[in-house]
Amino acid sequence: MAVQLDEIDVRLLRELEADADRPNVELARIVGLSPAATLNRVRRLKESGVIRKIAARLDSAAAGFTLQVYVMVTLARHDEAAENRFNREVAAIDNIIAADGVAGETDALLMIAARDVAELQVVLSRLSTRAGAQRLITLLRLGEIKPSSPLPLRATSVQSRRAS
């Protein structure tokens, strides 16, 4: 089910994507609503699933995780039990900071942050031995080309996450 977004919703979402730590009073001033109306709109956007989460974005290198890699994973088996085991194991490994199921030659793409090669090796070993990975292709992340960017929103509609 689609959630209808008007121009004020789009402006609110853009402002929150740029700086989610902005006070409600400042957001209200920017979009031209009262603080109460702004709070109600943000609450509605959260409840509808358009806003999934508001969180801080950390600098991994500054936090001591100087090694970042993408890992393409091919599973040994593709039945439901094997996929559930893989998903549980990935969720349990703290160094895996993002994971997506993908279509194509591989089954999943993981983002791993590690303090050093030894820590990375522990994660890769665990994926191979406990998670059912048959093949791991590791790509060293050299640097950020484009930071995570806001969605190109327009005053139309977006799919509600609750519907899926």
Side-chain angles (χ1 to χ4, degrees):
M1 181 161 123
V3 175
Q4 296 298 317
L5 300 176
D6 63 19
E7 287 296 328
I8 293 174
D9 291 332
V10 170
R11 285 177 34 211
L12 273 172
L13 292 167
R14 284 187 182 139
E15 292 299 324
L16 288 170
E17 281 189 302
D19 181 5
D21 197 33
R22 185 171 288 149
N24 184 59
V25 173
E26 187 179 336
L27 273 176
R29 182 186 53 74
I30 291 168
V31 299
L33 295 176
S34 71
T38 301
L39 190 61
N40 286 334
R41 280 189 182 247
V42 172
R43 185 176 297 127
R44 179 180 54 81
L45 291 166
K46 286 179 180 178
E47 290 170 356
S48 69
V50 173
I51 297 175
R52 285 192 297 169
K53 182 179 184 179
I54 295 177
R57 185 166 176 197
L58 306 182
D59 183 310
S60 54
F65 294 88
T66 55
L67 184 60
Q68 296 173 26
V69 298
Y70 295 98
V71 177
M72 296 187 296
V73 180
T74 303
L75 298 176
R77 296 179 38 202
H78 292 89
D79 57 76
E80 187 175 349
E83 289 177 10
N84 287 339
R85 180 177 72 168
F86 174 77
N87 293 345
R88 279 192 309 273
E89 196 63 33
V90 165
I93 301 173
D94 291 337
N95 291 83
I96 299 175
I97 59 173
D100 293 298
V102 297
E105 262 187 65
T106 61
D107 299 309
L109 180 63
L110 312 178
M111 174 72 163
I112 298 174
R115 290 175 187 87
D116 53 37
V117 174
E119 189 173 59
L120 173 62
Q121 194 169 0
V122 169
V123 174
L124 296 175
S125 176
R126 188 168 167 186
L127 287 169
S128 293
T129 58
R130 293 192 212 166
Q134 173 183 329
R135 181 175 171 214
L136 301 172
I137 299 173
T138 304
L139 305 169
L140 177 63
R141 181 180 182 265
L142 298 176
E144 186 174 77
I145 295 171
K146 181 180 180 180
S148 181
S149 301
L151 288 174
L153 295 173
R154 285 185 234 117
T156 55
S157 63
V158 296
Q159 284 292 65
S160 172
R161 300 287 280 158
R162 289 190 171 204
S164 51

